[in-house]
Amino acid sequence: MEKKPLNHFHPGSSVLSFGTAGCNSGCRFCQNFDIAKARSIDKLSVGASPEKIAQVAASRGIDSVAFTYNDPIVFAEYAIDTAQACRALGIHPIAVTAGYMSAEARPDFYAAMDAANIDLKGFTEDFYWKVTGTHLADVLATIDYAVNEARTPEGEHVWVEVTTLLIPGLNDDDAQLHAECTWIGEHLGPDVPLHFSAFHPSYRMMDVPPTPHETLTRARAIALAEGLHYVYAGNVHDREGDTTYCPNPQCHAKLIERDWYRIIADRLSASSGGNGHCPQCGTAIAGRW
């Protein structure tokens, strides 16, 4: 689950991930460009019905199915049908998405999901348009909707986490980071987990260096100073940045200790004897445990 990344949704559980071909974003740094930029005909060698995907997951004891690699909004009907087939077998449907979709598409899409990780790729319109070919306002509207309005068929809030890939010199300056974290705090609340991930040269941005570890540490410190409770450093070995802490300032106990994707200790999840509350001070920890 941590690879999605979703640190507060059944940590350590297994996920079957799949995608199709194509994307509605034009990110110059695309990490899956061989899939996202492929023509459909190049990727049609394997057929999988929604029911077959759900059955494969169930037969292998997999708890969740994730629509990822390319943005699931481009195969929304297929994703929704697959989500329904998964739910029928007790499997959680998860979206990993850039959040670039119309207001008309959001209700049906997010009603089909139990959880989502949504990319917030930067925090200026200039960055979004020049680097991704999309628009910041549309993504912010999607994230706001997913967190504050979207419900599962059972009436629960869809669980949402946000990821920002930090690209040196483009979206990693203090002003953008402060603005992003302020917006998250004001519009989503401090309990929505935020992941800062390290960029690696790819696709049309091979000339940009990898993200220094210090940038992730700085971004995480800014987000915590802005009052966000759960902030993570991704794509690096960073035990402190990977670990879930109690947000109670008088406690700050280590609750789920991680090293990259590996869970070292889990004191929250029901599967580990936890009840979603800090065992030290009793504070409720946002998530699905």
Side-chain angles (χ1 to χ4, degrees):
M1 189 64 70
E2 278 70 12
K3 289 185 177 181
K4 297 306 102 190
L6 286 167
N7 282 3
H8 289 234
F9 189 83
H10 305 291
S13 60
S14 55
V15 184
L16 173 64
S17 298
F18 80 96
T20 59
C23 191
N24 64 337
S25 298
C27 301
R28 296 178 58 81
F29 53 84
C30 184
Q31 307 288 290
N32 298 307
F33 65 90
D34 57 329
I35 297 172
K37 306 306 176 185
R39 295 177 301 173
S40 296
I41 194 64
D42 296 329
K43 300 295 178 181
L44 291 179
S45 58
V46 177
S49 69
E51 293 73 21
K52 180 65 174 178
I53 291 169
Q55 289 163 6
V56 168
S59 69
R60 300 188 180 188
I62 295 173
D63 302 306
S64 304
V65 167
F67 315 112
T68 181
Y69 303 128
N70 66 320
D71 201 297
I73 194 60
V74 304
F75 58 95
E77 295 86 354
Y78 180 36
I80 291 168
D81 288 347
T82 304
Q84 292 170 346
C86 287
R87 274 219 178 85
L89 297 181
I91 296 166
H92 301 294
I94 296 169
V96 180
T97 170
Y100 186 58
M101 62 182 70
S102 68
E104 292 78 11
R106 291 173 195 136
D108 289 344
F109 182 81
Y110 282 101
M113 304 300 158
D114 283 350
N117 185 287
I118 306 177
D119 288 339
L120 181 51
K121 298 176 185 291
F123 212 73
T124 68
E125 172 61 17
D126 185 67
F127 171 87
Y128 256 89
W129 180 242
K130 290 181 178 178
V131 180
T132 77
T134 62
H135 299 289
L136 174 60
D138 296 307
V139 175
L140 294 180
T142 294
I143 297 173
D144 194 321
Y145 175 86
V147 171
N148 295 311
E149 298 185 51
R151 299 289 191 279
T152 69
E154 295 75 27
E156 284 191 306
H157 279 279
V158 175
W159 181 253
V160 178
E161 303 189 19
V162 174
T163 295
T164 299
L165 182 75
L166 294 178
I167 305 173
L170 293 177
N171 65 350
D172 62 343
D173 59 275
D174 285 5
Q176 281 195 70
L177 293 171
H178 277 290
E180 174 179 333
C181 295
T182 298
W183 184 88
I184 290 173
E186 291 178 350
H187 291 263
L188 312 181
D191 286 339
V192 172
L194 173 60
H195 302 258
F196 289 115
S197 294
F199 163 84
H200 300 284
S202 183
Y203 193 41
R204 295 178 177 172
M205 293 183 68
M206 296 298 296
D207 56 334
V208 178
T211 307
H213 196 145
E214 295 76 13
T215 298
L216 300 178
T217 302
R218 173 172 55 86
R220 183 170 178 269
I222 287 172
L224 291 171
E226 288 282 350
L228 304 188
H229 290 163
Y230 310 109
V231 188
Y232 299 98
N235 293 351
V236 293
H237 287 287
D238 185 335
R239 281 206 181 187
E240 181 177 355
D242 290 337
T243 292
T244 300
Y245 294 88
C246 177
N248 179 352
Q250 280 73 50
C251 180
H252 202 57
K254 292 181 180 180
L255 302 177
I256 302 180
E257 297 182 61
R258 303 179 184 85
D259 185 1
W260 208 315
Y261 303 130
R262 185 168 65 94
I263 292 180
I264 299 161
D266 182 353
R267 305 170 70 194
L268 282 179
S269 299
S271 60
S272 302
N275 64 357
H277 289 70
C278 174
Q280 189 162 307
C281 72
T283 296
I285 309 302
R288 305 287 184 267
W289 311 110

